Amino acid sequence: MDLYEHQARELFAEHGIVVPSAEVTDSPKRAREIARRLGGRVVVKAQVKTGGRGKAGGVRLAADPAAAELTARQILGMDIKGHTVGTVMLARPVDIAEEFYVSYVLDRAAGRFLAIASAEGGTDIEEVAATRPEAVARIPVDPAEGVTPATASRIAEAAGLPPQTVDALVRLWDVLVREDALLVEVNPLVRTTDGRIMALDGKVTLDDNAVFRQARWGADDAEHHDALEAAAAAKGLNYVKLDGEVGIIGNGAGLVMSTLDVVAGCGARPANFLDIGGGASAQIMADGLSVVLSDPSVKSVLVNVFGGITACDAVADGIVRALDTVRLTKPLVVRLDGNNAARGRAVLDEHRHPLVEQVTTMDGAANRAAHLATTP
């Protein structure tokens, strides 16, 4: 679960990390009142769970309360990378002497965390990392040891950060551990002209598996900003929207991930990740097809199922029943393999839907779906 910036800053403050005074609102009129309370001059920041807000015009300086109201009105409702701005945060500006980048992220392959830090933080940190990787330090962190003051000093020295940042590095690790986070990022962490170390922005991703320990974050914080993801979540589907043209439905996260790779290798782009799990009832298949076909970018749909606990003939029956409730408007390529695959294929053959075709291999099915999606 990703948190909004203002929620991340709330966690930072609770753990002793200094953040500028700020308030959140969804009303331009209240934005004027907040700006007045904060001293008049404020930074107005769109609250969306994505990066690149500044370059998209979602972060602006307002000189006075009237300007804050106008700026909030302009930012609210903006679309930033597919996320509609519903709230803005108004923060008291600070005088910056230096900007740094700091993050802790789970390195799943290595089974540990990674501290990433740079003395060149700010909006262009991605470019810095790409063009001058030597300017970004990457320090492994043993989860059992954590980030002690000695470890934080090594991180700061490797990244060229001033010694004053050591305390913030320790406290940010405390945020990650105590809040069950997979990612804690500050960009920028700054040194102000009067020597204070402050977090001006924050990104925190919590581990969904630990949500039972983090009662403060409810359903409202796990909202989906993409309409299709919201519709899928309402149906209990494990769906993620992607920027492609081949709709993907499979049973099992590993199989779906492999299917995405194979489709990409065939020259097309997956339009989504949709795992229908071990069961593929008619209702689950109907719900899945409904969501995938609702995406206007989808040109073809690939159903890739390996029959195990759920037999392929049951899956095929689910597809047939689903087609009685969902109007199929795009070609549907089906690959069935495993338990009762021959029976499943026979069920689909008997149905003889003009837009449904079967391919027996995963590579062949992916290639056919890719061809249908990319050929005019």
Side-chain angles (χ1 to χ4, degrees):
M1 178 193 303
D2 292 329
L3 299 185
Y4 289 103
E5 176 196 3
H6 68 88
Q7 294 170 325
R9 287 163 52 110
E10 177 184 331
L11 292 184
F12 294 166
E14 290 175 5
H15 289 269
I17 300 162
V18 181
V19 296
S21 298
E23 295 184 44
V24 179
T25 183
D26 59 0
S27 163
K29 183 177 180 180
R30 285 196 291 273
R32 177 192 286 257
E33 298 168 0
I34 292 171
R36 186 178 294 111
R37 285 197 296 271
L38 293 176
R41 185 167 174 264
V42 293
V43 179
V44 185
K45 307 181 76 175
Q47 296 299 283
V48 288
K49 298 178 180 180
T50 187
R53 293 173 300 164
K55 292 183 178 180
V59 179
R60 306 180 194 176
L61 183 64
D64 53 47
E69 178 178 353
L70 176 61
T71 303
R73 193 179 304 279
Q74 293 170 338
I75 293 177
L76 287 167
M78 282 181 61
D79 181 279
I80 300 179
K81 296 183 179 179
H83 297 254
T84 301
V85 181
T87 58
V88 293
M89 183 181 74
L90 292 88
R92 184 175 292 154
V94 299
D95 295 322
I96 301 171
E98 294 180 281
E99 294 187 344
F100 317 116
Y101 174 89
V102 174
S103 70
Y104 295 118
V105 62
L106 177 62
D107 184 346
R108 295 183 186 275
R112 60 193 177 192
F113 282 87
L114 190 65
I116 304 175
S118 175
E120 301 182 33
T123 57
D124 295 323
I125 184 63
E126 292 85 0
E127 183 178 345
V128 171
T131 60
R132 291 188 297 109
E134 70 279 1
V136 181
R138 295 170 172 82
I139 311 298
V141 177
D142 182 347
E145 178 184 349
V147 176
T148 63
T151 304
S153 294
R154 291 197 300 271
I155 295 170
E157 182 179 355
L161 307 182
Q164 300 99 302
T165 61
V166 168
D167 182 66
L169 290 171
V170 173
R171 293 178 184 274
L172 285 169
W173 177 259
D174 195 49
V175 172
L176 182 135
V177 173
R178 295 188 180 277
E179 305 298 335
D180 291 306
L182 301 175
L183 167 70
V184 172
E185 177 184 82
V186 182
N187 185 35
L189 180 73
V190 305
R191 183 177 67 81
T192 63
T193 54
D194 59 2
R196 293 178 297 165
I197 300 298
M198 302 181 72
L200 297 195
D201 199 348
K203 181 177 181 181
V204 173
T205 299
L206 304 180
D207 185 351
D208 290 341
N209 294 310
V211 70
F212 67 95
R213 286 199 295 260
Q214 305 297 339
R216 78 167 89 184
W217 312 117
D220 290 343
D221 299 300
E223 64 181 308
H224 298 269
H225 290 274
D226 181 87
L228 288 173
E229 290 185 357
K235 298 176 184 294
L237 296 173
N238 186 12
Y239 172 93
V240 178
K241 175 77 174 73
L242 302 173
D243 297 325
E245 56 281 331
V246 179
I248 306 293
I249 302 176
N251 64 330
L255 179 61
V256 177
M257 290 297 291
S258 298
T259 306
L260 301 183
D261 291 339
V262 175
V263 166
C266 293
R269 298 176 303 161
N272 64 273
F273 171 104
L274 176 53
D275 172 19
I276 58 175
S281 68
Q283 188 58 55
I284 291 175
M285 188 60 69
D287 289 343
L289 282 173
S290 176
V291 170
V292 171
L293 292 171
S294 296
D295 184 351
S297 64
V298 167
K299 306 303 180 185
S300 70
V301 181
L302 170 58
V303 175
N304 187 18
V305 170
F306 185 86
I309 297 174
T310 301
C312 287
D313 56 339
V315 174
D317 185 61
I319 293 174
V320 170
R321 292 175 181 271
L323 293 177
D324 290 335
T325 60
V326 177
R327 180 172 174 266
L328 186 61
T329 57
K330 312 289 175 61
L332 176 65
V333 179
V334 181
R335 177 256 185 171
L336 299 176
D337 197 5
N339 185 14
N340 285 353
R343 292 183 189 175
R345 294 171 195 145
V347 168
L348 292 178
D349 285 340
E350 290 172 8
H351 188 64
R352 297 180 181 177
H353 194 290
L355 288 177
V356 177
E357 57 183 276
Q358 298 189 68
V359 180
T360 56
T361 66
M362 180 171 169
D363 287 346
N367 187 64
R368 180 57 179 161
H371 175 76
L372 290 169
T374 57
T375 302

